[in-house]
Amino acid sequence: MPAERIDGLAEREIVDVAGGVSTVRQDQLAEEVPLAVHCNGEPLAVMMVSPRDLDDFAYGFALTELGLAADDLVSIAAQTLLEGIQLDLRTRHPLPARATGHQRWLPGRSGCGICGNRSLEDVIRQPASVGHGGPIASSALHAALFELEQRQPLNAATGAIHAAAWAGADGKVMLVREDVGRHNALDKLIGVMQREGTDTGSGFALITSRASYEMAAKAAVAGMPLLAAMSAPTALAVDLAGRCGLTLVGFLRGSRHVVYSHPWRLEPA
């Protein structure tokens, strides 16, 4: 009996060469498909995504890119086309002026939320200050990282997938979302947190990528008090985090991490 197909994975025949010996076998690869986002019948953005948890992506994208709360969305419908997937959003009210001016007409790379914006003003934004949040032990960051490494089935199969996770102040991972794009993974995480009513003021987000400006901005828009990244942040991300009260942590690996802004939230080990 053939194995059940897992959404987000595809199989291709490869030649595996090791020690001079060639082996022909089937390999699992990460699916990457074009996603066209339409809102109230109008095209808004095109990006490359993993074709799973698209409802979560819709809610997260609506908040971080359009400024819409969960109850502003009336319906979400995905349809598979020859060219990819079309995601149709319907909102309770017309999009606000900021969102209308934020329209994109160029395809973006894997989840890049900036690609396709028409002006610099559409890109650089300053989120409101995040909440105070409770204290978080430094050890909780590393506990969450260890657990997250065990909860990435798509990446375990392919080695080509990013993840974003939400953990409690004790480091217990509560939610994980994966995608080929780091921005998409974080939007999916934010989306499922909105749908489930997760308190973004208590706990922290963990991402398996670098912390770019837009990743920090998305976390701040969602009201997350702390964002921890496995890789480095950019200078612009650190500046934004400093201004909006976000604790930004980078190089979370092994027993090490670097705090770039608002270290007062973290209790020493």
Side-chain angles (χ1 to χ4, degrees):
M1 176 182 291
E4 181 181 353
R5 183 183 180 278
I6 300 176
D7 198 19
L9 296 180
E11 285 198 349
R12 298 290 186 272
E13 185 177 282
I14 65 167
V15 179
D16 192 340
V17 182
V21 178
S22 298
T23 304
V24 177
R25 63 177 178 85
Q26 294 293 116
D27 193 25
Q28 291 185 316
L29 304 176
E31 280 194 293
E32 185 177 26
V33 301
L35 177 73
V37 181
H38 289 215
C39 190
N40 299 329
E42 296 294 327
L44 188 64
V46 179
M47 58 194 63
M48 305 301 293
V49 303
S50 296
R52 61 187 293 166
D53 301 316
L54 293 183
D55 279 2
D56 294 337
F57 172 79
Y59 279 95
F61 181 87
L63 174 64
T64 64
E65 298 295 336
L66 305 177
L68 302 177
D71 57 5
D72 291 324
L73 289 179
V74 175
S75 66
I76 301 168
Q79 56 177 321
T80 301
L81 308 175
L82 181 62
E83 302 84 358
I85 300 173
Q86 182 171 310
L87 190 65
D88 292 295
L89 312 181
R90 292 285 173 180
T91 62
R92 196 171 306 280
H93 306 289
L95 292 183
R98 173 192 169 276
T100 303
H102 198 63
Q103 282 186 329
R104 298 166 183 165
W105 302 104
L106 299 176
R109 297 187 179 93
S110 296
C112 177
I114 288 177
C115 300
N117 281 290
R118 295 184 294 175
S119 68
L120 291 176
E121 289 78 7
D122 290 337
V123 172
I124 302 300
R125 346 168 225 156
Q126 180 57 45
S129 295
V130 302
H132 188 277
I136 295 171
S138 295
S139 58
L141 302 180
H142 298 277
L145 176 63
F146 178 80
E147 185 177 352
L148 177 58
E149 289 172 348
Q150 321 304 316
R151 294 181 57 180
Q152 300 176 65
L154 294 186
N155 191 61
T158 68
I161 297 287
H162 285 296
W166 180 253
D170 59 356
K172 176 65 177 176
V173 173
M174 295 183 284
L175 293 167
V176 180
R177 288 295 181 268
E178 292 183 283
D179 199 276
V180 288
R182 63 184 189 275
H183 304 86
N184 298 336
L186 185 54
D187 272 338
K188 288 178 177 180
L189 176 68
I190 292 169
V192 70
M193 290 174 68
Q194 276 204 301
R195 298 177 70 189
E196 295 188 359
T198 304
D199 178 12
T200 58
S202 59
F204 61 94
L206 171 62
I207 55 176
T208 60
S209 64
R210 65 187 176 94
S212 63
Y213 156 79
E214 195 176 15
M215 297 293 276
K218 287 178 181 293
V221 168
M224 297 172 169
L226 189 153
L227 176 66
M230 288 180 62
S231 193
T234 64
L236 191 58
V238 173
D239 293 344
L240 177 140
R243 289 194 299 269
C244 69
L246 174 71
T247 299
L248 186 60
V249 175
F251 292 109
L252 180 61
R253 304 171 186 174
S255 61
R256 180 192 180 216
H257 64 270
V258 179
V259 186
Y260 290 88
S261 60
H262 301 285
W264 54 268
R265 280 196 184 90
L266 281 169
E267 296 179 333

